[in-house]
Amino acid sequence: MKKKRRTERYTLADLDNWREATLAVKPPMRLGVFGDPVAHSLSPQMQNAALRACKIDMQYARFHIRVNELRSALHLLAELDFIGANLTVPHKIAALAAVDELDERAARAGAVNTIRVRDKKLIASNTDGEGFLRAIRSDFSVDLRDLRVMVIGAGGGSGRAIAMQCALENCERLVLVNRTFEKAKALAEQLRPFFAGPRVLGPAARLEAVAWDEILLRAQLAHIDLLVNATPLGMKPSDSTPIPARLLAPHHMVFDTVYGVQATPLLRAAAEAGARGANGLSMLLHQGALSFQIWFDREAPLDVMRAAL
Ligand code: NAP
């Protein structure tokens, strides 16, 4: 049997037939990322570098798992003695109902990106929010708490975790935007207690859900420092930018959670407007390091992981 390369993708069928599918794979695959699409994920190269550096004799793989396959795939993860997994688009919210336990971070965010298997039980956590916080600090040398933030895609798994982190940091201002407006509105209601404190109010409300409409967004962006794309727009070459360059200004910091070799349409729009931009690589790094810490109860080798990316 041919030896599986680290870059290869497994499927639910492989998990169903795991011993045969991975007979010749050494060291064994005992971690992975579940997603659809998942081919773009750089988590394997980062996590495998960390595993090698820490002399942990196992590998991390990609798993192409469709929406209707998540429950079965998670069940097999527990049965097959995996250490755990990461979840990416579109599984982060659906996983809430498919795990045995939520830790505080997953429960608070209402989304899961990290799973640890313990005694065949799935314990869910979320490292996206803290990974985002660290990424903003390292990419822009600013603290989230000092910023007026707009999150586009606030109804998704990552958008929810990012918005919750902004609330926990008690950032200056938070504006939630989502294709399905009701989800942004519901999240704003949930986060309202975080913004009821004594901070001085400026001309705009500290917490708002806003419909995805150019005129409304233009008015809001005058009172925003950091714009975050938490939608998958930018993952495909044919995608349009979630916000056009004409709405951006040089004072904006633009953070695209999407990452890749080329600049995303949003980052190209930011450059056109003279705004600073960063892609999701540093968030990937920091959320991944925090996941590693959850799986192995030890610090992740951050420099090794950064170099691998
Ligand atoms: P998700 O749970 O499926 O959420 C997707 C969000 O994007 C929802 O708010 C959805 O709006 C919106 N959306 C989807 N397609 C859209 C479209 N065509 N136009 C406008 N809005 C659209 O996905 P997720 O797991 O949060 O991931 C979202 C993105 O974040 C992905 O690109 C992922 O790679 C990236 N991400 C990066 C990192 C990192 O470390 N860099 C970490 C996490 C996530 P509705 O509510 O209307 O459906």
Side-chain angles (χ1 to χ4, degrees):
M1 185 171 294
K2 145 169 114 48
K3 192 163 175 163
K4 287 252 181 192
R5 287 182 294 118
R6 285 195 176 89
T7 50
E8 211 160 324
R9 261 180 299 162
Y10 293 97
T11 62
L12 178 62
D14 290 323
L15 275 174
D16 249 330
N17 199 21
W18 194 236
R19 308 228 184 270
E20 280 83 74
T22 58
L23 215 53
V25 176
K26 296 225 171 11
M29 299 287 180
R30 294 189 58 204
L31 285 160
V33 54
F34 289 8
D36 180 19
V38 77
H40 69 282
S41 174
L42 296 182
S43 289
Q45 69 191 58
M46 169 177 77
Q47 297 292 359
N48 282 321
L51 292 167
R52 280 194 300 274
C54 296
K55 302 199 176 355
I56 300 172
D57 202 28
M58 59 182 71
Q59 294 188 68
Y60 180 112
R62 286 185 192 84
F63 291 85
H64 185 207
I65 303 294
R66 297 192 168 84
V67 171
N68 60 348
E69 298 174 337
L70 181 65
R71 202 170 267 276
S72 311
L74 287 177
H75 175 74
L76 286 165
L77 193 77
E79 288 302 309
L80 290 169
D81 210 18
F82 272 63
I83 300 294
N86 285 126
L87 302 181
T88 185
V89 60
H91 299 310
K92 292 183 182 185
I93 295 178
L96 289 171
V99 296
D100 297 297
E101 233 176 83
L102 300 175
D103 79 356
E104 196 190 342
R105 291 191 280 193
R108 214 166 36 202
V112 177
N113 84 327
T114 305
I115 289 178
R116 180 182 186 169
V117 180
R118 206 172 52 209
D119 301 331
K120 296 206 184 294
K121 288 213 171 336
L122 301 165
I123 319 294
S125 187
N126 198 312
T127 64
D128 275 340
E130 212 172 318
F132 168 74
L133 172 76
R134 293 178 187 195
I136 294 303
R137 208 175 278 148
S138 73
D139 285 338
F140 298 114
S141 308
V142 285
D143 278 329
L144 203 47
R145 71 178 314 279
D146 297 323
L147 300 177
R148 299 169 299 172
V149 186
M150 176 184 281
V151 181
I152 302 180
S158 318
R160 287 188 61 91
I162 287 170
M164 176 52 80
Q165 195 68 37
C166 292
L168 288 169
E169 293 299 309
N170 201 230
C171 70
E172 289 275 347
R173 208 178 161 236
L174 181 60
V175 175
L176 304 175
V177 181
N178 200 55
R179 178 177 61 181
T180 312
F181 177 59
E182 289 68 30
K183 292 189 203 169
K185 224 167 118 190
L187 183 60
E189 283 317 308
Q190 186 192 331
L191 299 183
R192 202 157 294 288
F194 290 91
F195 292 88
R199 278 204 180 188
V200 178
L201 287 181
R206 285 193 64 204
L207 174 67
E208 278 188 75
V210 172
W212 198 329
D213 166 274
E214 178 154 345
I215 294 170
L216 296 177
L217 292 185
R218 183 186 292 281
Q220 286 292 337
L221 281 164
H223 306 284
I224 289 296
D225 308 303
L226 174 68
L227 173 73
V228 182
N229 174 35
T231 76
L233 286 173
M235 288 180 82
K236 292 198 292 267
S238 56
D239 282 343
S240 58
T241 174
I243 296 283
R246 61 181 175 274
L247 296 191
L248 296 172
H251 80 270
H252 286 130
M253 288 170 265
V254 177
F255 185 82
D256 201 338
T257 64
V258 176
Y259 58 82
V261 185
Q262 288 178 341
T264 61
L266 178 61
L267 292 181
R268 287 202 298 273
E272 195 183 320
R276 281 190 289 163
N279 72 11
L281 265 189
S282 54
M283 178 172 167
L284 179 76
L285 169 70
H286 289 292
Q287 60 80 33
L290 290 160
S291 295
F292 187 96
Q293 215 169 308
I294 288 173
W295 295 322
F296 298 109
D297 287 322
R298 62 186 279 182
E299 285 290 316
L302 199 66
D303 289 341
V304 169
M305 296 170 88
R306 185 182 285 114
L309 287 175

